[in-house]
């Protein structure tokens, strides 16, 4: 579904990601793990197109989208939830959702479907997003991305700063969507237990290179911790 093939990314003359290859299969969850500064977010930004790849290819359903602008990748089915529970703080919860839904066929129905996944947001539709808790903002950010009907959803540190009960809810929603077979997920996560319980496969990055990879699940926990030296 989504493939990053031998991708290299640089800031100016400094290479940050060095020849990384990652695959996200249809209906699957792939986790990328590593310490701060490993190049995880940089790799995601190259996948989305907000950072150009110096070399390598980004393939979506076999189509080379490396040269496409971010909005064109979104139009082809790529969704992105950046790190930090980002939202339009001065807008209400509903207005945040309508920004994406307006102009889309079934826009209202898409909002309803997203709210069915995150029912806690229904009581917060008139509240400004900047006044929501971190967990509520993260739910809003994911709901807003889902309104765009992505086929591949990229999540950057979705559990950062969120209470455990909300983490469990987000995990269950992600897994439920992938079980239907109409969504694939690329997940960057430092919470190793969460990442491996959600992921079908994983990659560990260190200094911009893949140092370990394998199948997900709890049995991979020892290998990943060894690769990350934790």
């Amino acid at each position: 579904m989504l493939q990053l093939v031998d991708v290299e990314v640089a800031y100016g003359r400094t290479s940050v990601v060095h020849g990384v290859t990652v695959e996200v299969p249809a209906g699957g969850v792939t986790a990328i793990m590593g310490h701060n500064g490993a190049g995880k977010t940089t790799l995601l930004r190259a996948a989305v197109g907000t950072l150009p790849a110096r070399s390598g290819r980004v393939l979506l359903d076999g189509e080379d989208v490396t040269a496409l602008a971010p909005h064109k990748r979104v139009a082809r089915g790529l969704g992105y939830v950046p790190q930090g529970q980002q939202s339009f703080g001065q807008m209400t919860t509903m207005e945040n959702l309508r920004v994406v839904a307006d102009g889309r066929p079934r826009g209202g129905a898409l909002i309803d479907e997203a709210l069915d996944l995150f029912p806690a947001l229904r009581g917060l539709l008139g509240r400004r997003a900047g006044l929501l808790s971190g967990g509520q903002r993260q739910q809003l950010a994911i709901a807003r991305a889902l309104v765009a009907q992505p086929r591949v959803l990229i999540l950057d540190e979705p559990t950062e700063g969120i209470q455990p009960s909300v983490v469990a809810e987000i995990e269950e929603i992600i897994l439920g969507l992938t079980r239907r077979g109409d969504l694939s997920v690329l997940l960057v996560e430092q919470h190793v237990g969460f990442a491996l319980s959600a992921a079908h496969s994983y990659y560990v990055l260190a200094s911009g290179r893949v140092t370990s990879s394998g199948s997900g699940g709890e049995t991979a926990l020892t290998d990943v911790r060894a690769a990350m030296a934790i």
Side-chain angles (χ1 to χ4, degrees), residues 143-210:
R144 189 176 59 205
L146 291 173
V147 169
Q149 294 183 287
R151 290 178 293 116
V152 180
L153 181 62
I154 298 176
L155 300 171
D156 193 357
E157 301 280 9
T159 70
E160 184 182 40
I162 296 177
Q163 64 188 38
S165 61
V166 179
V167 170
E169 183 178 349
I170 289 173
E171 179 183 353
E172 184 54 38
I173 288 167
I174 291 170
L175 293 177
L177 290 169
T178 57
R179 286 189 199 107
R180 297 191 326 204
D182 56 359
L183 182 69
S184 303
V185 175
L186 178 58
L187 168 71
V188 157
E189 184 56 65
Q190 288 200 55
H191 190 305
V192 174
F194 168 82
L196 291 178
S197 65
H200 300 94
S201 60
Y202 73 86
Y203 298 82
V204 176
L205 261 61
S207 301
R209 292 180 170 86
V210 174

Side-chain angles (χ1 to χ4, degrees), residues 9 16 24 30-31 42 46-47 62 74 96 100 103 111 114 121 159 164 166 170-171 181 190 198-199 201 204 220 229:
V9 190
V16 178
V24 185
T30 296
T42 298
V74 170
N96 268 268
V100 181
I111 290 176
L121 294 178
T159 70
V166 179
I170 289 173
E171 179 183 353
Q190 288 200 55
S201 60
V204 176

